[in-house]
Amino acid sequence: MNRFDRITGILLQLQARRVVRGQALAERFDVSLRTIYRDLRTLEAAGVPLYGEAGVGFSLAEGYSLPPVMFTRDEAVALLTGEKLAARLTDEQTAAHSRSALDKLRAVLRRPDRDYLDALAPRLEVRRLRTQPATPVADSGMHQRLLAATMARRVVRLRYRAGLAEASTTRDVEPIGCYLQQQWHLIAYCQLRQDFRDFRFDRIEQLEVRDETFAERPETLQSYWSAQAVRRQALEVARVRFQAAAVRTIQDTKHQYGWVQEEVRPDGTVEMAFLPGGLRYLAAWLLPQAGSFTAVAPPELQQQLRELAQAAHDCFCEAT
């Protein structure tokens, strides 16, 4: 990157954030901290009103702005791709906001780039994914509402149906973030369970963002993952060997039961490793697929399967 592009990039970072640390800029542009300070002085000499100091961070004067920045063609294509993904992987409101943002992008593009984007759009398509998250029917704006509640630290009341539960429960939760893995998930502190929990969007039957606020917590999604990693280290690995034909039927659900890895064996079977929240939970998922898998370890998983199978047999006998 030449110096002009780097200085322009630094200015964009200053416009995009309240405070930017010099070290962060040095790492982003792969130059020394001394070079960043020299570039900042160049911006000041050009009349850009900068505030800050070394070791703390730098910011632009309140109200200072520049005319719209021209996007490169590659950046425009990347945003078009993001808009196509948003239409498939988020809810209707978020997809609409994404389309609106792309319309504003087109307004600042050069005419040849606008024509290029218009010609490219029908040639770029994201088809319905086999593991695509289902958009909740009850509340199509769930994604936006939960993110807004997270930022405002508002308590959210959920009517939630857990994976194996027949009846839903009402939970007041304090959200810290959302993530996508097969389905959209909300990570939140559950006041009922007095601990952090993972809630799938498609199992939320109703939500209400309440006026009640909660105290700011230091936890973020990253700290939640770290805590989960520590918890998983204490769990015993469960190993299950599946027939090849059965693997296709469980690809969409295996992640919900603690799947961590798998290996194709010489005989064509697939051995998967799980770190489940509970062996009975894993056994209840496996049982309907009896005949297509072998519970390799631990012995407690085999015992749980036997107990569930016996209970199912007893219920059948009573019914007949």
Side-chain angles (χ1 to χ4, degrees), residues 184-195:
W184 276 102
H185 294 246
L186 167 72
I187 301 299
Y189 182 83
C190 178
Q191 295 180 355
L192 176 65
R193 305 302 185 195
Q194 293 291 293
D195 198 2

Side-chain angles (χ1 to χ4, degrees), residues 53-186:
E53 59 181 286
V56 178
F58 298 87
S59 60
L60 290 175
E62 185 69 27
Y64 178 80
S65 63
L66 291 177
V69 175
M70 297 301 291
F71 288 87
T72 67
R73 178 172 292 184
D74 289 342
E75 289 169 340
V77 170
L79 289 172
L80 173 63
T81 304
E83 188 265 336
K84 298 276 187 177
L85 287 169
R88 286 294 186 190
L89 297 178
T90 59
D91 57 39
E92 294 177 5
Q93 283 191 15
T94 303
H97 291 321
S98 180
R99 289 191 296 270
S100 176
L102 195 66
D103 288 341
K104 294 177 182 179
L105 162 67
R106 286 189 173 93
V108 300
L109 289 177
R110 295 182 294 267
R111 182 177 297 276
D113 291 337
R114 286 203 302 270
D115 294 342
Y116 179 84
L117 211 61
D118 289 340
L120 177 64
R123 293 172 171 80
L124 177 63
E125 183 176 358
V126 177
R127 301 298 300 274
R128 181 172 179 85
L129 306 177
R130 182 168 58 87
T131 57
Q132 179 178 345
T135 300
V137 176
D139 188 348
S140 62
M142 187 176 294
H143 190 270
Q144 291 286 321
R145 296 180 67 196
L146 286 174
L147 288 178
T150 300
M151 296 306 297
R153 300 201 303 274
R154 300 272 292 277
V155 172
V156 177
R157 177 162 293 177
L158 304 177
R159 193 170 70 203
Y160 189 75
R161 178 182 52 80
L164 297 178
E166 294 183 1
S168 58
T169 58
T170 299
R171 317 277 190 95
D172 284 350
V173 303
E174 304 169 10
I176 65 168
C178 302
Y179 73 95
L180 174 65
Q181 180 178 309
Q182 307 302 319
Q183 301 282 344
W184 276 102
H185 294 246
L186 167 72

Side-chain angles (χ1 to χ4, degrees), residues 8-30:
T8 302
I10 291 172
L11 183 56
L12 286 173
Q13 291 298 307
L14 290 166
Q15 288 185 287
R17 292 169 174 79
R18 184 185 297 272
V19 178
V20 182
R21 294 180 62 250
Q23 185 60 45
L25 291 172
E27 293 172 358
R28 182 179 184 88
F29 295 104
D30 196 22

Side-chain angles (χ1 to χ4, degrees), residues 272-294:
M272 297 187 182
F274 296 85
L275 286 173
L279 290 177
R280 195 169 187 84
Y281 184 58
L282 178 63
W285 173 63
L286 290 170
L287 190 61
Q289 305 165 67
S292 63
F293 72 89
T294 301

Side-chain angles (χ1 to χ4, degrees), residues 231-294:
R231 185 185 67 82
R232 283 173 178 265
Q233 288 177 358
L235 297 175
E236 186 173 8
V237 175
R239 296 191 175 277
V240 183
R241 194 170 298 159
F242 291 91
Q243 298 296 324
V247 173
R248 291 189 294 272
T249 66
I250 65 169
Q251 289 294 348
D252 294 351
T253 55
K254 65 183 182 182
H255 298 273
Q256 303 164 27
Y257 299 89
W259 175 92
V260 288
Q261 65 180 26
E262 62 187 56
E263 177 185 1
V264 179
R265 294 168 50 83
D267 61 0
T269 59
V270 179
E271 186 165 310
M272 297 187 182
F274 296 85
L275 286 173
L279 290 177
R280 195 169 187 84
Y281 184 58
L282 178 63
W285 173 63
L286 290 170
L287 190 61
Q289 305 165 67
S292 63
F293 72 89
T294 301

